[in-house]
Amino acid sequence: MTEPTGASATLDSPTTLTQQDRLALYEQMVLIRTYELAIQREYHADKGPGFDIGKGLIPGEMHLAAGQEPVAVGVCAHLTGDDAVTATHRPHHFAIAHGVDLDAMTAEIFGRETGLGKGRGGHMHLFDPAVHFSCSGIIAEGYPPALGQAFAFQRRGTDRIAVAATGEGAANQGAFHESLNLAALWKLPVVFVVEDNAWGISVPRSASTAIPSNADRAAAYGIPGVRVEDNDVEAVHAAAAEMVQRARSGGGPSLLEVSTLRMLGHFEGDAQGYRPELADVAEHDPIPRYEAALVADGVLDDAAKQRIAAAASERVEAAISHAKDSPLPDPAEATRYAFAKEA
Amino acid sequence: MTTTTAAPTRRLNTSKAMAEAIAQEMRANPEVLYLGEDVGSYGGIFGSTGGLLEEFGPTRVIDTPISETAFIGLGIGAAVEGMRPIVELMFADFMGVCLDQIYNHMAKIHFESGGNVKVPMVLTTAVGGGYSDGAQHSQCLWGTFAHLPGMKVVVPSNPADAKGLMASAIRDDDPVVFMFHKGVMGLPWMAKNPRSIGVVPEGEYLVPIGKAAVAREGTDVTVVTLSLSVHHALDVAEKLAQDGISVEVIDLRTVVPLDRAAILASVGKTGRLVVVDEDYQSFGLSGEIVTTVVESDPGLLKAPPKRITMADAPIPYAHVLEYAVLPRQERIEAGIREVLA
């Protein structure tokens, strides 16, 4: 692993991935993309005429992670359901990659009683204690609770770890810096992940952050920092491997920044007029690129591609059907769960 | 439930009573731990953790960096994983630096998860003025915490309640904000209220969260109050008794959940209400208590209610200025006489 040097590093560690591993990474990315596009379809299906954010089967803001699949998939490939993940307001890719119950998550997004939070949370507030998954609607604020999960794992003498994700805009928040320091100080088993999609809503990275690599900030806390430049799932996988291993074995936290791609708007309905490079986005889509590499290496052929796409589509549509078929919560119970026992 | 196996003459100050409850719970449950700034060898700036480090060591009584967002959030994550952390925010005034973790995370996770994730943590914090510490170190702010749903808020006024409420808070499955007034802690370096030292039961002792206490029975007027103001109200009640005025003092003990039944029962008896609150007046606890009565039955009141509170202004530094705005004995007495006039 690259120790902090003050310069960004691109990892090119030799991969030990088997063909099966590589296919699994691909399948996960396809599942996530299929999911995000299906949610996008469902979200917009009944927002008109015009666009009313509060209307439809999926009301409210919707932040989709299409293009950022390599980050979640490359990192979560090293985790089990005993490990914790805290994600951001753009959480679905990490949720799926970490094994959150897809039916319950979808039902939550549709605001149903069968949802992860029985319709109280919504798409930015997903909690699945079965796999220690949570997310936060507020920038950088998922980092501090991840410290506590890691603290509990460490205290109990386990080799479990926590992964905490933010976007690059969040790396300028106080919570980010306090968390890095405290985790480093107490050698907490955390892998901090920064998803650098270059945009904090409409503000480009160049207008928010004074240095080119947030991975360099790790040096300020005496922990390793690595930046992966190319949104490549295998490069993320390789970088995360070392960081996860370090955390599991008591070596403490580290910071992984991945230069990734927000293919869609900050939220659905965002026309992105502020974004000059929008026309080129499709060219940088990480999934066709990985697909081509796998085809070239003889790992993937057309038949397998179609099989994987069909399986993903079937799984996603089943989750959406489950959500749509699920009951809405009882309005009379709208305040339930404010406390553990009802007053 | 209140269990007492008491040596009835043993007296402790509030800070020692609070630390005793923490020690007993730490002995009983290895998942209980205490963390915050200066809670280790210093023993807490207001004595909240005196002696704990010596008994439990630095892995369970943990000094943190000055990073409230990180270590309060850490408490949340540890609680989510089933630990029972007690986390100290040195002054309630500092809530602003870490409020997001408190009200968006600690207080909302149980709800957002549809009851699937519990956050059994205690957030302790010092409140209150009266010693010229100025506008950023003297506020009560319990109305602010109480206004934000999802956290219980307890505010003991005396040593026995501090012990019993702390034990209950640690065992509670919800996040509990435990607010201790510096003026009731019985600290050697602060003007001592005589009631800050009192009889404290030994052994397991629980005071239920959500139950007010009748600190003094009376028939002419109800004073609803909490924390240090309970003692001021009791002082005034004793004085007025010499004039034949019978004052009932209700010590709320818990702001969330609020014991509305106790308030209504007392006002139903006396027909007159004075609320004494060291928190800011507008949009706060005092208005909530008056509303509780008026919404229930305005006919309960024989006279308009009266609020004796902190002014809606930052708390001044100079002694004479601070004492002019604090709800102390003179203002409480005048308020009581006004509703009886």
Side-chain angles (χ1 to χ4, degrees), chain A residues 70-71 74 228-237 258-259 286 289-290:
Chain A
V71 189
V228 173
E229 288 291 357
D230 57 2
N231 204 23
D232 176 89
V233 68
E234 292 188 10
V236 175
H237 185 277
V258 181
S259 171
R289 190 159 50 109
Y290 194 45

Side-chain angles (χ1 to χ4, degrees), chain B residues 56-331:
Chain B
F56 298 101
T59 61
R60 294 186 67 195
V61 182
I62 305 166
D63 276 325
T64 61
I66 303 171
S67 303
E68 288 87 352
T69 291
F71 71 73
I72 289 174
L74 185 149
I76 295 166
V80 159
E81 293 300 332
M83 303 189 87
R84 294 201 169 250
I86 309 163
V87 185
E88 182 165 316
L89 172 64
M90 189 183 287
F91 288 79
D93 312 70
F94 302 169
M95 74 190 293
V97 302
C98 51
L99 186 56
D100 187 73
Q101 287 296 319
I102 294 170
Y103 87 113
N104 272 322
H105 294 81
M106 183 185 85
K108 287 180 181 164
I109 286 174
H110 183 266
F111 182 82
E112 290 170 333
S113 71
N116 289 320
V117 180
K118 292 186 171 58
V119 188
M121 68 182 275
V122 182
L123 180 68
T124 62
T125 188
V127 302
Y131 62 112
S132 284
D133 220 19
Q136 297 175 4
H137 292 73
S138 302
Q139 300 167 100
C140 288
L141 299 177
W142 42 62
T144 306
F145 284 88
H147 181 67
L148 302 165
M151 37 187 161
K152 293 176 177 169
V153 179
V154 303
V155 191
S157 69
N158 61 63
D161 283 358
K163 175 172 176 175
L165 284 169
M166 176 55 78
S168 295
I170 294 168
R171 296 183 193 188
D172 201 289
D173 280 341
D174 286 311
V176 179
V177 184
F178 186 102
M179 310 184 84
F180 54 88
H181 196 296
K182 303 140 199 166
V184 305
M185 290 295 265
L187 301 169
W189 47 274
M190 203 171 269
K192 259 200 239 9
N193 185 292
R195 296 185 200 81
S196 61
I197 298 174
V199 173
V200 177
E202 289 186 66
E204 182 186 62
Y205 179 66
L206 296 168
V207 170
I209 291 172
K211 289 283 174 211
V214 180
R216 180 189 174 103
E217 290 197 20
T219 53
D220 295 331
V221 55
T222 296
V223 175
V224 175
T225 187
L226 72 173
S227 194
L228 180 64
S229 300
V230 172
H231 305 307
H232 299 335
L234 289 172
D235 292 343
V236 172
E238 279 166 27
K239 182 180 175 195
L240 291 178
Q242 295 158 19
D243 295 350
I245 298 171
S246 173
V247 179
E248 179 145 302
V249 179
I250 302 295
D251 178 354
L252 289 173
R253 300 201 290 197
T254 303
V255 181
V256 179
L258 184 64
D259 190 351
R260 298 180 199 269
I263 298 165
L264 292 170
S266 180
V267 175
K269 181 170 75 170
T270 64
R272 291 182 172 84
L273 172 64
V274 174
V275 184
V276 183
D277 182 9
E278 197 185 313
D279 203 354
Y280 303 117
Q281 174 165 304
S282 296
F283 318 104
L285 177 67
S286 63
E288 187 65 31
I289 289 164
V290 171
T291 303
T292 294
V293 173
V294 172
E295 278 185 342
S296 167
D297 180 3
L300 292 179
L301 291 169
K302 299 174 195 160
K306 181 78 190 168
R307 293 191 279 171
I308 311 295
T309 66
M310 183 62 79
D312 291 328
I315 298 166
Y317 158 71
H319 183 82
V320 292
L321 298 179
E322 186 183 23
Y323 273 50
V325 293
L326 283 170
R328 295 185 61 83
Q329 284 87 341
E330 299 73 17
R331 290 179 57 208

Side-chain angles (χ1 to χ4, degrees), chain B residues 11-33:
Chain B
R11 290 164 62 82
L12 295 179
N13 71 11
T14 302
S15 66
K16 288 198 172 70
M18 187 175 149
E20 182 172 278
I22 296 164
Q24 287 175 352
E25 295 303 310
M26 288 180 77
R27 280 177 215 130
N29 184 350
E31 301 290 0
V32 178
L33 49 91

Side-chain angles (χ1 to χ4, degrees), chain A residues 12-24:
Chain A
D12 57 355
S13 341
T15 178
T16 57
L17 292 166
T18 64
Q19 290 201 355
Q20 214 175 5
D21 293 335
R22 299 180 79 192
L23 266 182

